[in-house]
Structure formats: C-alpha cells, structure tokens
Amino acid sequence: LKKCEEVARTYDKIQTRYADILDKDESIKSIRVNVVLDDLDEGKFTSDFVCTKTDGDLMVRECVFRKKLSLPRTCKLLDASMQYWARRGVTDWGIVVEKEDFEDEEE
C-alpha cells in the first residue's frame, strides 16, 4: 500500500479488498494496519485499519465476515474496539462486511 509506511499484512479477502479501496481514496492520507489496542480487558486485539484523513481526523475500520457478526466474542471485541477509540476522541469508527454475493472464503 502506498499510504502505509510499514508492510501491510492482511489476513482475509475483506481486509485485502478494503485496503485497496483505502489506498485509492483521496480523503485518506495514511493507513496503519493491524494496530494493537493496549490494555484491553478482553485480551489482545488489533484494529484492522487506522487511517489519518487529509483533514487530520482519524478513521478506524474493523473488517468482519457477516456470519461472524452475531458471535458473542466478535460482538464483545468490536464493542471494546469502538470504546477504545472513542476514549481517544475517534468518532469515525465503523465495521466493514462483505457484500451478499462476496465469495465467502476465509484465507
């Protein structure tokens, strides 16, 4: 990724496709991938994408397969991520899921 200073490692097709979208998005200045969230009660967790927009604001995106959205552990980790970033002033936090017709193949 041109906008990522480090090697960008993606772990499934949703992350890979969304990384390409972010890299082409003119409103995104820089991208950090798999950012560790320190000191979570839920254990070790990383946010998939933490982006700095051209206006200086941060944007956080978590990529999740649709079939995993209803799992209690997934919900708990997503909620922990949202709260973690909210405590740091991030208001642009969201979840990315695959399209209905997306090839449901995890890598």
Side-chain angles (χ1 to χ4, degrees), residues 1 8 12 15 19 22 32-36 38 45 57-58 60 65 76 91 95:
L1 299 174
D12 59 46
Q15 287 180 337
L22 291 172
R32 291 186 292 151
V33 182
N34 302 311
V35 177
V36 176
D38 296 318
F45 186 71
D57 286 346
L58 288 183
V60 176
F65 280 96
K76 187 175 184 177
T91 57
I95 300 170

Side-chain angles (χ1 to χ4, degrees), residues 4-48:
C4 188
E5 292 181 15
E6 301 172 352
V7 174
R9 288 183 174 82
T10 58
Y11 297 100
D12 59 46
K13 288 186 177 185
I14 299 172
Q15 287 180 337
T16 301
R17 289 185 185 180
Y18 196 64
D20 290 337
I21 290 168
L22 291 172
D23 209 36
K24 294 174 186 169
D25 187 333
E26 293 182 13
S27 70
I28 302 297
K29 181 179 176 182
S30 67
I31 303 167
R32 291 186 292 151
V33 182
N34 302 311
V35 177
V36 176
L37 308 186
D38 296 318
D39 302 323
L40 285 185
D41 292 338
E42 292 74 15
K44 187 176 179 180
F45 186 71
T46 61
S47 284
D48 294 320

Side-chain angles (χ1 to χ4, degrees), residues 67-81:
K67 68 183 180 184
K68 293 189 176 184
L69 280 173
S70 61
L71 298 176
R73 176 87 174 136
T74 301
C75 293
K76 187 175 184 177
L77 290 172
L78 290 172
D79 187 54
S81 170

